[in-house]
Amino acid sequence: MFRRPDAQMPDRLDKASKVLWLLGVNHVHTGTATYINIALVDALGRQGIDAFQDTELVGSADFLMADGPYANLSRYFFAVRFSRDCEGLSYCKTVPMEGPRSLSLSRPALIILRAYINPLTGVGPDATALLNFRTVTTTPQKDARAWDSFERSDTLALFNSSCTEYIYRTTLCSTGPTKECCDAIASWNREGCWCDSIGQKLLAALPIGVGPAALVGVARICSQRSNVSCTSEPASEP
């Protein structure tokens, strides 16, 4: 099995009118996987909310590629959506704000693609043979605010940064400053992610309720950082 998290920052559906696009390659149709799915996950609750199976991706990119020079290749791609309201949107799944499998407006969403079994080798696909998918979050102009737009990071740098791994681990802090949470923050602190450019972009992408102020508060409880100034010497670990 091969499992790849989205190489972009966590996405936010913090407005009812936002649409989260998922764009990528259907690895089943390219012959590099027997089955794939792409799921929206509550990053803090560590719970899957909903997912598209590979059979649901078929035909989703047709309308974007129609009449273009590569229209005949559209079967190899997908373009699906998650939104709070999918009325009038094809290839879209609604993300509820309440209920057992829901995502409130304040919580960040992660997108995870899983690809299983290369039919030629009988084992999971080689990660280097799979093109990364992308996410694009759109907001209608009438609802958009300045903070709904931010500079896209270098995908490769973001994916290779240890800070990206540690920001995912800090989801363990959703239940408080447990040992696992404090261990994750210790790693974040040790790698200098508070002041690292990638780390700062990851923090900025989190909703206000769960990101950087909340993380700093938990870090102080864990005694992993005594101040938040990047011009100061980093706090030593206990």
Side-chain angles (χ1 to χ4, degrees), residues 137-159:
T137 306
T138 60
T139 307
Q141 187 173 16
K142 64 182 178 62
D143 298 328
R145 299 294 183 269
W147 53 84
D148 289 317
S149 176
F150 57 88
E151 180 183 357
R152 175 70 73 179
S153 295
D154 181 324
T155 298
L156 184 60
L158 187 66
F159 187 72

Side-chain angles (χ1 to χ4, degrees), residues 22 113 151 159 180 221:
L22 317 178
L113 183 146
E151 180 183 357
F159 187 72
E180 291 80 7
I221 295 173

Side-chain angles (χ1 to χ4, degrees), residues 13-72:
L13 287 174
D14 52 1
K15 289 184 174 65
S17 58
K18 276 191 173 182
V19 176
L20 173 57
W21 286 80
L22 317 178
L23 310 166
V25 174
N26 188 331
H27 303 301
V28 172
H29 284 187
T30 61
T32 52
T34 301
Y35 164 77
I36 68 170
N37 76 3
I38 185 165
L40 182 143
V41 177
D42 178 350
L44 298 180
R46 290 179 285 168
Q47 178 186 47
I49 306 300
D50 208 342
F52 287 91
Q53 313 305 319
D54 59 78
T55 54
E56 298 176 289
L57 304 176
V58 177
S60 60
D62 290 355
F63 78 104
L64 290 178
M65 300 178 69
D67 301 323
Y70 304 107
N72 62 318

Side-chain angles (χ1 to χ4, degrees), residues 41-47 106-108 170-172 174-175 206 210:
V41 177
D42 178 350
L44 298 180
R46 290 179 285 168
Q47 178 186 47
S106 64
R107 294 171 82 91
T170 59
T171 59
L172 297 168
S174 60
T175 57
L206 295 175
V210 295

